[in-house]
Structure formats: structure tokens, C-alpha cells
Amino acid sequence: MTSSLNLWLIPVLPLAGAAINGLLGKKSSRTAVSVIGLFFSGAAFAWALSVAWRVSAADLPYAEYIAHWIRYGAIGASGSFAADFTLYLDQLSLIMLLVVTGVGFLIHIYSVGYMWDDPSYYRFFAYLNLFMFFMLTLVLASNYLLMFIGWEGVGLASYLLIGFWFTKDSAASAGKKAFIVNRIGDFGFLIALFLIIEHFGSLDFTKVFAQVQPIAPETSGAGLLTAIGILLMVGACGKSAQIPLYVWLPDAMEGPTPVSALIHAATMVTAGVYMVSRSHVIFERAPMALTVVAVIGTLTAIFAATIGITQTDIKKVLAYSTVSQLGYMFMACGVGAFSAGIFHLMTHAFFKGLLFLGAGSVIHAVGGEQDMRQMGGLRTYIPWTFGTMCIATLAIAGIPPFAGFWSKDEILWKAFSSGPEGKVYWMIGLITAFLTSFYMFRLLFMTFFGDYHGVQVDEHGRAHLAHSHAGTDDAHGHGESHGEPHESPMVMLVPLMILALLATVGGLVGIGNRFEHFLEPVFGPGVAGAAGDAASSAQEYVLMGISITVALLGFLLAYVLYISKPYLPQKIADGLNGFYTAVLNKYYVDELYSKLFVKPLIEGSTRILWQGVDRKVIDDTVNNAADGARDVSNEVRQMQSGNLRSYAGWIAAGSAAVIAYMIWMGVR
């Protein structure tokens, strides 16, 4: 490579946009805010494209030193430690770079139309740009410490975005919930970093992995690498919403819909998958930790999918779908198929970003309603949104040749060929694929087919919405809140069309294992790769056929229940009774957490911190000091009698005391 790539520009550009809009946006016009927000995020994407164009496989990996940061001891000496601001680019971070900047830029464009009427328009774009800065810092970090800065930064930015409408209690609570739950996972991440520093003396990826590489796999039991791997997975569970720390992500729907797309599609929730994949050298030598990753991912995939089949809020369905799809990615990582996990991360960014933005277009069309039972028949009102949502649904359901088919099939194949336990993962993944197809076509049919349930015509022949919009996105100022459904403006539709194109053809890069070969310099052949190569190609085609059949069965079941015989879902729900109610209420996990953790902590803090520390120690100390000062002042006040002879007596007594002290000091 003949010249510097200036990687630092990619994260700094969105930071500049955040600073300008954050400091000056309140006094600027919406047009100026839009130009600044789009220019700096678009410039970051353009620079990332130029980097991708200029580098070749021979140039990677590439490290770009920015500045000193933390230095302890002489460089190279025993016990020394160094962590610098250095950016790192290889095939893995290049893919993440393009996905984050590309999809992020499209969401910025969409937000111009979606948030135009919001009174805090400038603040929204400042937060969006800030989020991109931290996510890009995480992706480009050359060491775990710099990655952790980006890691915490996206947590902060997500808190600001989820709680953007902070005057609404549910939004403020959702922001706090996301922040606190992520801190639990981050505690595990930090412990892992402490162990890495203690035993390897560095947090630099290259140096740590070079020391880990010669270590034999810990096949006899749990050791240091197993502990580090499991603790890293704890951090990933928080950021990527896996069992048991997934509960924050569905509540994050309280933020504006572009926030849901940004957090759930290509950025924050994929950070855990990226971190585990980046740490593959550690995990490959800790089979027990890999098993933990696979089991958690597999269980999360099917658990969240079962919840998704009962939800009626369009954004909640997509939220649990995200949790489930992230489980697929962790399943892939857990069987050593890191390339397959990253492949699904990329295709998921396309179709899930499209689904959320499409859902936002639907919500915009109907004046803020999010309940699918109040929709129906929208395909005639918003045909462009309907067409793009169809493509996204086909992609996530795993119907060929759309993007989701290639990546999901790759994960199932790698799981099946990874060993005896892989057959279990494959079976659960197959059931999850069926559920995914079912609940996504259910969403499509309930939203776009049948009769529209949200419009009434009064005695004057005027159409108006029959439902309230309080507490929804459009209650905050954007979009129409009356009349018949209407198509979104072009500034919102163009990103949908681009993402629809990517969701259609984006998976084709995986044909012939080209995507896996591209990432081979990072991951090598992989644990599951060797096993998969030994299996017959005929078996792979059979499994592919089973996967497609399962996806079609999900479509047929949804068609029967919501198009052909729409009375059946209620009969089935009544028949299942308690079980259906449990699934509808998300298995009461939030209520369980509240009873086991939240309420005891609140009550304990009330008794110990408020009554014990605050009242008994702090308040009593201040109050007693005040009482003592008052008592002393009362006594001293008695000296002020107004009698001149009394004052003369006090002066004489004071003078005598001073003279006596001076004589005593002179004697000494």
C-alpha cells in the first residue's frame, strides 16, 4: 500500500455532524440540519467505499496509528502495558464498515421524511450521527480497550435514541432498561478484559491472538480461555439481546422507527456477534465456551420466534424476529462457522432494515397505529411499501433466491455438519425457520390483505381513522393523523427500494462459498468448515430442499389462518387457553425479573440507602450539626445584654485571659 487510507476520517465525519447539529442545530432550519446530518454520514459511507476500492487482499490487515493513549512501563519490558488509538482494517472489519455506513446512511435519508415534523428534529440527527461514530469506533478498533469505548458509546447513544421522546414514561423507561441491562453484560466483558491483561499483558488483538494461537484447545475442562470466552459471551448477550439479557430489545420499540431500524438491523445488536467473531482465536481453543455460544444462540432463536407468532404490534413482531435472527448468528459462531454468522449479519442488515423502515412507512400511512389488527388491506393504499415489504418477507423467510435464503441455509448446513450435537442445533434451527416464515407472512397478511379496519366513513361520507394515536410514533408530530392511508414521500421510499434490491441480490455473493473464501484470511477454514467439506454435496442439496419446504409450509399455514380461514386463529387461541396467554405475555419473563431482581433491589435500596444511609447518616449528620450550631448560638446570644458594665467586664476578663496565656508561654 503506497499511502495512508486515512481510516480516522470514517468515524470522525459522523462525530463532526453530531457536534454541529448538537451545538448549532436548534437555531438552524430543518433543511440545514438535514444537509449536515446527511452530508457527514454520507461522506463516511463514501470514504468507506473508497477504502474498499483501494485495498486488496495483499494490503490487509492494515493498521493505522493515530496517537498514544495509555502507556505503563517501558515498551517491551516485563509488566509493561500499552493501548494506543490505532485503527485496524481486515476483511471482517471492511464488511462491517460497509454495512454500518451504508445501511446507516439509508436510515439517515429515511429519517428526513419520517421525523420532519418532530420539534426536536436537530437533536435526533445529532444522536444518529453520534451513534454512527461510536459504532464505527467499535468496528475499527485495533484493541479490546478501544473496542470497549465504542461498545459503551453505542450503549449511551442507544439510550438517547430509545428514550428520544423522554416526556413519554414508556420511552424513558425503555431507555433506562436498555442502558441497565447492557451494563450487566458489560460487567462480564470487563472481567474478560482484566483476565486478558493479567495473563497476556496486552489488549491488542494481534498481540493477544499471537499468544493464544500456540495454546492447545482446552478439551479436558474449563480453563483460562474458557473463562475469558464465556465472559465475552456475557457481554455479547447484553449487546446482542440473547437469553437471559434479551429483555431490553423489544422495549426499545418505544423509540422512533428509524431508531429501531438502526439499532436492530446493522449496528448495535450485531456488535456482540462481531466481538465474538473477532475473538474467534480464543473461542476456537475453548470448546466449552463455543458450546455455550451455540446453546444460547439456538435457544434464543426458537424462544424469541415462538413469542413473535402471537404479537400484534408490528414493531414488536420485528423486534422478537431480530432476537431470533441474532440467535441464528450465534448458533453459527458456536459451531465454528464464523463466516456464516457474518454472512447472515450482512443479509440480515438488508432485509431487517427494510422491514423496520417498511413498518415505519406503514405506521406513517395510518397515522401512527402500530396494532396490525387495526390495519389490513393496505396494499391498495401503499403499493410501493407493500412491494418492498414482500421482498423483505421472502428474504427473511428463506425463500430462494432472496438474500436470507443463502445465509440461513449456510448456517443450517454448517450446524448439521459440525458433529452429533450439530444435528440438534440443525433441528431446532429448522423449526425456527418454520416459525419465522409463519410469523412474517402472518404480519404481511394482517397488514396488507383483507379489509382495512382503521377507517370509518361518517354520515357526510368523510373518511377518518377510528382509533386513537396517543402514545405512537406519529403522536409526536410527524406524518398524518387523519384521513385514509397514504403512501410515504419519496425521501422515505428510495431507501426502501435500495434495501429491497440488496435483500434480493445481496445473498448471491455467497454462491460458491465466495463470501467464506473472502473471510478465510481472518477465520481460516473454520472448525465446521473441515467437517462440512467431508460431507457429500448431495446431502447439502437435500438439506437445502428441506429448508425451502419448511419455509413454504410456514407460508401455507399463515395463508390458511389469515387469508383462507381467518376465524381459525381465535379458535386455536381459545383452545390453547393458558399456553397461548403465556406466549402472548412473553412467558412472563419481565414479570419474573421484576419480582426476583427489580423489586428486591428497589425495596433494599429504599431500606438501606434511603432509610439507613440517607436518613440515618447523611440527614442526621446535617440536622445534628444544625441543631448544635443553633444551641451554641443561643448560648452566645446571651452575652449580648446591652449593658455597658457587662461588656466592660467581658473585655477585662478576656484581657486577663490573654495576659495569663502570654505569661504562661513566657515561663515555658
Side-chain angles (χ1 to χ4, degrees):
M1 188 173 299
T2 57
S3 62
S4 171
L5 293 176
N6 292 318
L7 291 178
W8 61 273
L9 279 172
I10 299 175
V12 165
L13 283 167
L15 180 63
I20 294 171
N21 271 335
L23 295 173
L24 306 176
K26 190 172 185 178
K27 297 181 180 179
S28 304
S29 66
R30 277 173 164 73
T31 301
V33 170
S34 304
V35 169
I36 291 167
L38 294 183
F39 172 78
F40 285 102
S41 59
F45 177 49
W47 196 257
L49 284 174
S50 75
V51 167
W53 179 261
R54 285 185 286 158
V55 298
S56 63
D59 298 323
L60 301 176
Y62 165 81
E64 187 173 289
Y65 170 80
I66 306 298
H68 291 317
W69 186 14
I70 299 174
R71 293 290 176 93
Y72 175 77
I75 300 300
S78 177
S80 65
F81 175 80
D84 293 329
F85 283 107
T86 302
L87 303 181
Y88 184 80
L89 185 72
D90 62 1
Q91 287 82 355
L92 174 59
S93 53
L94 181 60
I95 289 172
M96 291 293 297
L97 202 61
L98 293 173
V99 169
V100 171
T101 56
V103 177
F105 178 53
L106 291 176
I107 293 170
H108 274 70
I109 296 173
Y110 179 93
S111 299
V112 171
Y114 196 83
M115 298 295 293
W116 184 262
D117 294 325
D118 194 278
S120 296
Y121 186 76
Y122 79 95
R123 184 164 57 88
F124 184 78
F125 272 91
Y127 291 168
L128 279 186
N129 279 183
L130 184 66
F131 188 99
M132 283 193 67
F133 161 70
F134 282 122
M135 189 65 199
L136 292 169
T137 301
L138 187 158
V139 167
L140 288 171
S142 68
N143 58 70
Y144 280 110
L145 194 57
L146 187 55
M147 174 187 275
F148 190 73
I149 296 297
W151 187 275
E152 291 297 287
V154 293
L156 168 65
S158 67
Y159 166 76
L160 296 172
L161 287 167
I162 294 169
F164 180 75
W165 290 317
F166 55 84
T167 56
K168 194 170 72 167
D169 287 341
S170 57
S173 297
K176 287 186 290 185
K177 185 175 184 179
F179 194 80
I180 292 169
V181 172
N182 271 274
R183 298 294 75 72
I184 296 171
D186 295 348
F187 181 73
F189 193 1
L190 272 175
I191 300 293
L193 299 193
F194 295 153
L195 287 175
I196 292 172
I197 293 173
E198 173 67 22
H199 293 276
F200 301 109
S202 177
L203 290 175
D204 186 88
F205 295 143
T206 304
K207 294 179 181 178
V208 172
F209 298 157
Q211 295 181 66
V212 172
Q213 199 87 36
I215 299 176
E218 297 174 344
T219 55
S220 59
L224 171 65
L225 297 182
T226 298
I228 292 173
I230 291 175
L231 287 167
L232 289 175
M233 184 57 190
V234 170
C237 282
K239 199 65 70 182
S240 293
Q242 298 294 285
I243 291 175
L245 301 178
Y246 72 92
V247 291
W248 68 269
L249 192 139
D251 287 15
M253 296 297 97
E254 292 294 337
T257 298
V259 173
S260 304
L262 188 67
I263 291 176
H264 293 192
T267 52
M268 177 176 169
V269 293
T270 60
V273 179
Y274 172 72
M275 184 264 284
V276 170
S277 299
R278 173 61 71 197
S279 308
H280 69 96
V281 176
I282 295 174
F283 282 95
E284 286 169 352
R285 282 148 188 81
M288 188 178 295
L290 268 184
T291 300
V292 170
V293 174
V295 169
I296 288 178
T298 305
L299 292 179
T300 302
I302 192 167
F303 178 80
T306 60
I307 297 176
I309 64 177
T310 63
Q311 300 302 302
T312 55
D313 184 310
I314 189 170
K315 288 173 68 176
K316 284 290 179 70
V317 175
L318 297 178
Y320 282 104
S321 170
T322 298
V323 177
S324 180
Q325 295 302 305
L326 288 166
Y328 260 109
M329 298 175 206
F330 279 108
M331 181 203 300
C333 293
V335 299
F338 297 100
S339 296
I342 297 299
F343 187 22
H344 197 57
L345 182 156
M346 182 187 74
T347 61
H348 178 263
F350 301 152
F351 60 70
K352 185 56 63 67
L354 175 55
L355 284 168
F356 269 111
L357 296 185
S361 183
V362 170
I363 294 167
H364 181 274
V366 296
E369 182 60 71
Q370 293 179 197
D371 191 336
M372 295 185 295
R373 295 170 297 185
Q374 300 297 326
M375 299 178 187
L378 291 178
R379 69 185 188 280
T380 58
Y381 296 99
I382 47 175
W384 285 102
T385 300
F386 168 65
T388 55
M389 286 282 279
C390 281
I391 291 173
T393 301
L394 291 168
I396 192 174
I399 305 295
F402 298 95
F405 162 74
W406 304 100
S407 57
K408 187 178 293 186
D409 186 71
E410 182 75 6
I411 291 174
L412 292 174
W413 165 240
K414 293 293 187 181
F416 185 87
S417 58
S418 64
E421 69 282 353
K423 306 298 190 296
V424 178
Y425 303 147
W426 173 80
M427 180 57 68
I428 296 175
L430 201 64
I431 297 171
T432 303
F434 168 76
L435 294 175
T436 302
S437 178
F438 170 72
Y439 67 65
M440 286 309 307
F441 281 108
R442 169 182 177 264
L443 180 151
L444 196 71
F445 294 147
M446 289 182 69
T447 304
F448 293 101
F449 290 80
D451 298 322
Y452 182 53
H453 305 295
V455 171
Q456 290 180 342
V457 179
D458 61 20
E459 63 273 15
H460 302 292
R462 292 178 301 206
H464 59 88
L465 294 181
H467 47 268
S468 170
H469 314 295
T472 59
D473 278 26
D474 284 280
H476 294 269
H478 54 82
E480 299 292 333
S481 58
H482 61 278
E484 289 192 346
H486 53 282
E487 187 62 275
S488 298
M490 287 305 296
V491 72
M492 293 170 63
L493 290 178
V494 168
L496 295 183
M497 297 172 189
I498 295 173
L499 286 171
L501 177 63
L502 292 172
T504 302
V505 303
L508 299 180
V509 297
I511 295 177
N513 292 326
R514 283 180 294 179
F515 193 85
E516 184 175 2
H517 292 324
F518 178 75
L519 287 174
E520 204 165 283
V522 179
F523 299 127
V527 174
D533 292 340
S536 67
S537 58
Q539 187 180 48
E540 183 175 1
Y541 286 121
V542 169
L543 295 177
M544 184 186 297
I546 294 173
S547 175
I548 296 171
T549 302
V550 162
L552 293 175
L553 287 175
F555 161 76
L556 289 174
L557 180 61
Y559 180 84
V560 170
L561 293 182
Y562 294 95
I563 298 295
S564 179
K565 300 179 179 179
Y567 59 87
L568 275 181
Q570 189 58 50
K571 291 185 66 174
I572 294 172
D574 294 339
L576 293 174
N577 200 2
F579 178 72
Y580 176 82
T581 304
V583 178
L584 182 63
N585 288 282
K586 290 90 72 178
Y587 299 105
Y588 301 103
V589 173
D590 282 290
E591 290 79 0
L592 179 64
Y593 283 4
S594 178
K595 187 172 182 179
L596 291 179
F597 305 113
V598 179
K599 288 182 179 178
L601 282 173
I602 293 175
E603 292 172 0
S605 63
T606 301
R607 284 197 309 270
I608 297 172
L609 295 179
W610 181 61
Q611 295 180 351
V613 177
D614 191 41
R615 291 185 58 187
K616 299 292 186 183
V617 178
I618 299 174
D619 285 355
D620 284 358
T621 299
V622 174
N623 293 337
N624 289 340
D627 292 341
R630 185 174 57 250
D631 293 341
V632 171
S633 66
N634 283 335
E635 293 298 326
V636 174
R637 188 162 54 96
Q638 303 303 320
M639 298 170 60
Q640 305 299 319
S641 62
N643 190 315
L644 290 177
R645 285 182 297 178
S646 175
Y647 291 160
W650 282 112
I651 293 172
S655 300
V658 171
I659 293 170
Y661 174 75
M662 293 175 67
I663 293 172
W664 179 71
M665 289 296 293
V667 172
R668 292 187 62 190

